[in-house]
Amino acid sequence: MEFSVITIEKVESTQNYLIELSRKTELQEGIVINALSQFKGIGQFENKWESEAGKNLTFSLLLQPRFLNPASQFLLTQVLSLAISDYLLTQTDKPVSIKWPNDIYIGKKKICGILVKNQLFGATFENSFCGIGLNVNQEKFPPLPNPTSLFLETEKQFELNEVLKAVLENIGFRYNQLKSEEIEILQQDYMQRLLYKDIFASYIYKGREIEARIFDVNEFGHLLLEERNGNEICCELKEIIFTHNTISK
Ligand code: BTN
């Protein structure tokens, strides 16, 4: 897949910029809006995405997976989180994992956030706006929950353009797996990297603290957990909070 990267000095949010651009002109799949600085970055659940200017990757990529059934759109989330974790695994021996559904962690700290906005046209996929914020060279963070960067994990400085190139190549590779219907590989790799899979940890589920073990993610992207008493939970986004307390027994 061909990527064409447009780097801009400063923008409110690459995500909004790309969405606006797509309203005004016909865009080709693979266009990337990459910002050196974002002053109003958007995170999940209407959170802000804060990123120090010039230190990290903040970009939005346009995919047009018109071959994909919209019911399977979770596969795109898997493609992106696998591609980024593939890259991180080449840079560190520390444990890299995917916190359901699509945060990338090193150890118990978040290094990357992904925001996917899908546009459907009737029953077919039109556009998928894939926003990625990867912390690269930032050394200090505001007291947000658990942030880290490649610099903090490896004590090395990275060339942002090289990181972007490698991440895009990986996205191209994983996206091709999706196109060529290598779904089982994507699902297997995703499950293998899932944070706290098969171990008991505590969560806040619908406001109540539970101890449960993640055992699967279904095709719609719902997280499946089993409580100690065998009760199974199938949960959607926003219904669960990870406390990051794992229980060894
Ligand atoms: C999250 O909350 O974990 C998702 C964060 C996504 C941030 C990226 S940075 C590039 C793109 N532009 C935005 O405004 N947000 C996404």
Side-chain angles (χ1 to χ4, degrees), residues 13-15 38 41-44 49 59-60 103 110 113-114 132-133:
S13 152
T14 59
Q15 195 74 351
Q38 267 191 154
I42 313 163
Q44 295 168 60
W49 184 257
F59 67 93
S60 293
D103 289 340
K110 177 164 166 174
I114 301 173
I132 293 170

Side-chain angles (χ1 to χ4, degrees), residues 127-181:
N127 290 318
S128 181
F129 303 97
C130 308
I132 293 170
L134 174 62
N135 297 332
V136 182
N137 291 323
Q138 190 163 334
E139 294 174 28
K140 290 200 180 115
F141 288 90
L144 289 170
N146 303 320
T148 191
S149 66
L150 264 173
F151 172 80
L152 290 176
E153 297 301 328
T154 63
E155 292 171 19
K156 280 189 272 181
Q157 291 284 336
F158 289 77
E159 185 60 55
L160 289 179
N161 282 328
E162 280 171 22
V163 180
L164 178 61
K165 193 164 163 265
V167 167
L168 290 176
E169 266 168 24
N170 287 350
I171 293 177
F173 177 82
R174 290 289 185 176
Y175 191 56
N176 268 337
Q177 286 186 322
L178 177 62
K179 271 190 185 156
S180 49
E181 297 183 13

Side-chain angles (χ1 to χ4, degrees), residues 14 24 27-28 44 49 54 63 78 86 101 130 152 178-179 183 206 222 241:
T14 59
K24 290 182 204 142
L27 295 177
Q28 293 249 322
Q44 295 168 60
W49 184 257
L63 293 178
Q78 290 177 310
D86 287 341
C130 308
L152 290 176
L178 177 62
K179 271 190 185 156
I183 309 300
K206 293 186 173 172
H222 300 146
I241 299 168

